[in-house]
Amino acid sequence: MPPPTTVSVGVLGAAGTIAPAIVRDLAESDEVASMVLLDLDLARAAVVAAEHGGGKAQAGAADAREHASLAAALDGVDVLINAASYRINLDAMQACLAAGCHYLDLGGLYWMTRRQLELDDDFRRAGLLALLGIGSSPGKTNVMAARAVRELGGSVDSIEVAAAGRDLRASGGFSPPYAVRTLIDELTLAPVVLRGGEPVEIEALSDGGALDYGPPIGQAETIYTLHSELATFAESFGCREASFRLSLAPALLSRLRELAAAPAEEAERATREATPPSAETVSVHMIIARGGERTVKVRAVTRPHYSLGGSVVSTAAPAAAVVRLLARGEIHGTGTQPPERCLEPEALFAELETRGCSFEIDRGD
């Protein structure tokens, strides 16, 4: 289905942390004609439409677990961005197949991504693209890895992915960068790393050591966490070693550890009481790729944009960028694909550089 010059976009999970930044970005995109903002919380979705939609957005109530209802809400929509919980990714994909629209999400925490890849034939037969994990990480990092592997001449032994975020305002409150439940899952589910070409589970919260993220974060301690990049890197790049490490501010990590050990009701209460990330947050992502005697590093720094913090913009901007690339006919793939297999690094980087992100490539020369 060739995308039209301008597109209609659905945003699922419109009342969440990341969606308002996606909507703001799409509102300023000439390629976007209209948006329908979908959420269980219709009132909050309507607020997002009014505050961030630039006159292009209307709100609607939707429950992704009711495929027929969500498919009906997607009537006339060209592409859905699923910014809701990764737990409903498969449900949202089925609704897109029924509605005949492309699908994007922000990640599937490895195991969900593997299940989503099984819908490849269904999306290919429908002539649709399901782009799995096009946030900051997974998403931007996948494409950064593709750029690093290209610098290595296409042959790579290992790929390390690292992400860090900090609130430079340091207010002291509980301000998670995205959904609390997803963060807790990342910290409590066994991370998967690639060793000798095979996926291996390691202990949750395994120490990843200190890593220099460069300014403005610098040296920071890391932990290994479960992430979607590890579901596709071996097949995409042929690497035999790969991992994902995360660095959170110590106070935030400590609070998340407490919530992980607490009853589910406490996590739900913390979610309701959490404050949004401040406009002073920054996000740094790094790829360290090794092939033979060479090491290539690709680094991305996202600073505040739209008066929104860099951690939120870093996750929101790649999905909005893909909508623009689809509308301009710069993405031609169908089926279920990770970002590294269907996006040109230069095209995505150029889009993100207009949204507060800068890239550096250390070729190890």
Side-chain angles (χ1 to χ4, degrees), residues 25 61 107 126-127 131 240 287 297 313:
D25 197 328
L131 185 46
R240 296 184 59 78
I287 292 291
K297 299 179 181 179
V313 173

Side-chain angles (χ1 to χ4, degrees), residues 287-359:
I287 292 291
I288 305 170
R290 297 180 174 89
E293 299 298 318
R294 292 189 62 202
T295 298
V296 172
K297 299 179 181 179
V298 182
R299 178 174 177 265
V301 180
T302 306
R303 299 182 183 276
H305 191 70
Y306 301 134
S307 298
L308 297 170
S311 63
V312 172
V313 173
S314 179
T315 302
V322 166
V323 169
R324 292 191 293 274
L325 293 172
L326 274 169
R328 298 201 298 262
E330 296 183 36
I331 302 175
H332 304 288
T334 61
T336 58
Q337 300 196 39
E340 69 266 22
R341 297 182 197 163
C342 62
L343 295 178
E344 286 296 325
E346 289 77 14
L348 183 66
F349 293 178
E351 293 291 329
L352 300 184
E353 285 168 348
T354 69
R355 300 309 196 257
C357 185
S358 61
F359 294 89

Side-chain angles (χ1 to χ4, degrees), residues 184-225:
I184 291 175
D185 284 350
E186 285 190 39
L187 299 183
T188 57
L189 296 176
V192 173
V193 298
L194 198 65
R195 290 179 177 167
E198 297 295 329
V200 176
E201 289 189 7
I202 62 175
E203 186 176 352
L205 293 170
S206 291
D207 184 3
L211 183 66
D212 185 1
Y213 285 90
I217 292 177
Q219 193 89 354
E221 295 296 323
T222 69
I223 55 173
Y224 289 98
T225 67

Side-chain angles (χ1 to χ4, degrees), residues 229-272:
E229 290 94 331
L230 278 295
T232 61
F233 273 15
E235 183 176 348
S236 294
F237 302 123
C239 57
R240 296 184 59 78
E241 309 287 329
S243 64
F244 177 87
R245 287 182 286 170
L246 176 67
S247 177
L248 296 172
L252 175 59
L253 178 58
S254 176
R255 179 58 175 146
L256 289 169
R257 285 176 183 263
E258 293 174 357
L259 293 175
E265 296 78 14
E266 185 173 340
E268 292 297 326
R269 183 169 61 253
T271 298
R272 293 191 298 271

Side-chain angles (χ1 to χ4, degrees), residues 37 46 105 171 349:
L37 310 188
D105 66 36
S171 64
F349 293 178

Side-chain angles (χ1 to χ4, degrees), residues 40-274:
L40 289 168
D41 187 341
L42 176 60
R44 176 56 189 158
V47 170
V48 174
E51 293 184 353
H52 300 283
K56 295 182 178 181
Q58 61 180 4
D63 185 342
R65 293 166 296 183
E66 298 178 0
H67 299 174
S69 176
L70 179 56
L74 296 175
D75 183 40
V77 168
D78 299 295
V79 55
L80 173 69
I81 299 176
N82 175 15
S85 167
Y86 74 93
R87 293 175 177 80
I88 58 89
N89 284 2
L90 286 170
D91 298 300
M93 290 176 75
Q94 292 292 351
C96 285
L97 285 169
C101 69
H102 300 295
Y103 171 86
L104 314 176
D105 66 36
L106 304 181
L109 272 196
Y110 187 86
W111 298 111
M112 179 61 75
T113 298
R114 289 182 62 126
R115 294 176 64 190
Q116 291 175 264
L117 289 166
E118 296 173 1
L119 293 180
D120 182 59
D121 287 344
D122 295 324
F123 274 84
R124 288 187 187 278
R125 282 193 296 267
L128 298 170
L129 173 65
L131 185 46
L132 309 182
I134 186 59
S136 58
S137 183
K140 177 167 54 182
T141 48
N142 299 62
V143 183
M144 291 164 62
R147 186 69 180 84
V149 171
R150 183 187 301 173
E151 288 291 335
L152 290 171
S155 178
V156 62
D157 301 317
S158 69
I159 301 175
E160 298 175 39
V161 186
R166 293 293 187 274
D167 188 343
L168 302 182
R169 185 182 64 182
S171 64
F174 180 54
S175 181
Y178 46 91
V180 172
R181 186 68 257 177
T182 300
L183 278 164
I184 291 175
D185 284 350
E186 285 190 39
L187 299 183
T188 57
L189 296 176
V192 173
V193 298
L194 198 65
R195 290 179 177 167
E198 297 295 329
V200 176
E201 289 189 7
I202 62 175
E203 186 176 352
L205 293 170
S206 291
D207 184 3
L211 183 66
D212 185 1
Y213 285 90
I217 292 177
Q219 193 89 354
E221 295 296 323
T222 69
I223 55 173
Y224 289 98
T225 67
L226 185 65
H227 245 248
S228 298
E229 290 94 331
L230 278 295
T232 61
F233 273 15
E235 183 176 348
S236 294
F237 302 123
C239 57
R240 296 184 59 78
E241 309 287 329
S243 64
F244 177 87
R245 287 182 286 170
L246 176 67
S247 177
L248 296 172
L252 175 59
L253 178 58
S254 176
R255 179 58 175 146
L256 289 169
R257 285 176 183 263
E258 293 174 357
L259 293 175
E265 296 78 14
E266 185 173 340
E268 292 297 326
R269 183 169 61 253
T271 298
R272 293 191 298 271
E273 295 173 356

